[in-house]
């Protein structure tokens, strides 16, 4: 029987293996400096931090260790956002993998957890938007240099996540009880049980992208592009294109890669959904 940490590692591997995943690295598509094998190595590298979470370590320390291990490959940031979702989920799975338990894990985070979260930014470059002028001392891109300001204000990791909403849907999961992650798990469980998990993963990714404009796309390419991408995903989903016209989905995926449009937040939520489904034995691999 796999431990929660092992299921989290497997979720990361299944997420990148899902194909097609428009705008993201998958088995058929690499980005210019970020390739499929970098994601495989990132998932394996994150194992130690995930095991710390499974053993009951503090969320911040486990996350920082997971990111450090993830970063030990040549592609840079592969799964930072996914790990920010998976670490509290793995921690919660020690008791019960349910929304109230995950909410309690997040509510129990401390200033020390927030400091470790900031230190994780020293490990790898993460694309984030510019903060408001009054929040510049707390800009996460400053990494450990921002820790004194963080400590002066007494902000916990949950406080930091709350200040990142509505512009970051990974942070939004923290303040909504991982609402979309649990919904993704239910969709995976309800999908055709005879279909490969990688195909079900691609279908759930497309459904999540259709639900909400991706916040990473909005930050990097603008809200209009994010809405356009979400609308295209909804149109493909409405006509069941993965089954009836898979070439159209492949074309969409190729187009987003060519344009440098990456719905990476949707991929992060997909990974979290995969973990929950694996832990609940709603999908089998």
């Amino acid at each position: 029987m796999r431990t929660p940490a092992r299921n989290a590692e497997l979720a990361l591997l299944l997420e990148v293996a899902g194909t097609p995943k428009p705008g993201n690295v998958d088995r058929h598509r690499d980005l210019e400096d970020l390739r499929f094998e970098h994601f495989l190595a990132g998932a394996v590298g994150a194992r130690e931090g995930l095991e710390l979470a499974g053993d009951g370590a503090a969320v911040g320390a486990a996350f920082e260790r997971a990111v450090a291990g993830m970063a030990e490959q040549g592609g840079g940031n592969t799964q930072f956002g996914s790990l920010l979702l998976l670490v509290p989920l793995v921690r919660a799975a020690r008791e019960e993998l349910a929304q109230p338990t995950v909410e309690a894990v997040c509510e129990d985070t401390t200033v020390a957890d927030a400091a470790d979260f900031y230190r994780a930014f020293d490990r790898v470059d993460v694309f984030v938007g510019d903060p408001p002028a009054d929040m510049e001392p707390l800009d996460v891109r400053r990494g450990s240099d921002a820790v004194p300001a963080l400590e002066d204000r007494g902000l916990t990791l949950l406080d930091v996540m709350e200040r990142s909403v509505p512009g970051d849907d990974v942070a939004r999961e923290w303040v909504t009880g991982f609402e979309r992650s649990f919904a993704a798990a239910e969709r995976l469980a309800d999908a055709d049980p005879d279909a490969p998990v990688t195909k079900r993963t691609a279908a759930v990714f497309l459904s999540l992208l259709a639900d909400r404009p991706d916040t990473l796309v909005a930050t990097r390419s603008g809200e209009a592009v994010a809405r356009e991408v979400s609308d295209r995903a909804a149109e493909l989903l409405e006509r069941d294109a993965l089954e009836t016209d898979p070439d159209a989905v492949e074309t969409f995926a190729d187009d987003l890669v060519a344009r440098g449009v990456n719905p990476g937040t949707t991929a992060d939520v997909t990974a979290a959904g995969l973990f929950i489904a694996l832990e609940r034995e709603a999908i089998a691999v």
Side-chain angles (χ1 to χ4, degrees):
M1 182 175 179
R2 285 188 296 266
T3 65
R6 294 288 183 171
N7 271 335
E9 180 184 4
L10 179 57
L12 291 171
L13 294 169
L14 290 171
E15 189 284 317
V16 72
T19 302
K21 247 180 19 276
N24 285 257
V25 170
D26 61 23
R27 284 177 297 160
H28 297 164
R29 292 167 191 82
D30 293 325
L31 305 182
E32 185 175 350
D33 298 314
L34 190 59
R35 300 189 300 274
F36 182 69
E37 64 262 30
H38 293 140
F39 280 81
L40 301 182
V44 173
R47 180 189 302 163
E48 183 178 339
L50 294 168
E51 288 175 342
L52 285 175
D55 290 340
V59 168
F63 175 73
E64 197 276 335
R65 180 60 254 173
V67 170
M70 175 209 76
E72 293 174 355
Q73 37 75 29
N77 177 23
T78 50
Q79 292 123 330
F80 190 97
S82 297
L83 292 171
L84 189 53
L85 297 178
L86 287 171
V87 166
L89 286 168
V90 170
R91 182 69 175 75
R94 286 170 50 84
E95 301 173 34
E96 179 188 11
L97 189 52
Q99 286 183 267
T101 313
V102 184
E103 289 173 347
V105 168
C106 295
E107 288 167 359
D108 286 344
T109 59
T110 64
V111 176
D113 290 316
D116 284 330
F117 168 71
Y118 271 75
R119 293 185 186 102
F121 284 84
D122 294 340
R123 303 285 189 172
V124 67
D125 289 332
V126 180
F127 187 92
V128 295
D130 294 328
D134 63 327
M135 294 293 289
E136 193 281 330
L138 293 172
D139 187 346
V140 291
R141 293 171 295 188
R142 298 183 63 219
S144 56
D145 289 341
V147 169
L150 179 80
E151 292 173 337
D152 285 345
R153 301 195 188 193
L155 298 178
T156 69
L157 184 48
L158 180 58
D159 292 333
V160 173
M161 294 298 107
E162 288 174 340
R163 283 161 172 75
S164 300
V165 178
D168 182 345
D169 270 4
V170 169
R172 183 177 179 271
E173 287 296 278
W174 272 63
V175 302
T176 62
F178 287 62
E179 179 180 73
R180 298 184 76 210
S181 300
F182 280 91
E186 291 176 5
R187 293 178 192 181
L188 285 160
D190 291 342
D192 179 2
D194 296 324
V197 172
T198 49
K199 184 175 181 180
R200 284 181 266 170
T201 298
V204 169
F205 174 92
L206 195 65
S207 74
L208 290 169
L209 187 56
D211 284 345
R212 283 177 64 86
D214 188 282
T215 50
L216 180 61
V217 174
T219 301
R220 296 181 65 168
S221 304
E223 292 185 6
V225 173
R227 286 194 299 272
E228 173 229 320
V229 169
S230 187
D231 288 346
R232 288 181 68 183
E235 185 273 327
L236 290 167
L237 195 69
E238 184 176 359
R239 59 189 177 93
D240 195 20
L242 276 169
E243 294 294 336
T244 64
D245 190 7
D247 287 346
V249 186
E250 295 283 357
T251 298
F252 179 38
D254 290 338
D255 175 56
L256 293 191
V257 169
R259 292 164 57 191
V261 176
N262 173 19
T265 301
T266 304
D268 296 333
V269 176
T270 301
L274 280 162
F275 169 71
I276 295 166
L278 287 166
E279 272 293 296
R280 291 179 165 181
E281 300 182 350
I283 58 174
V285 178

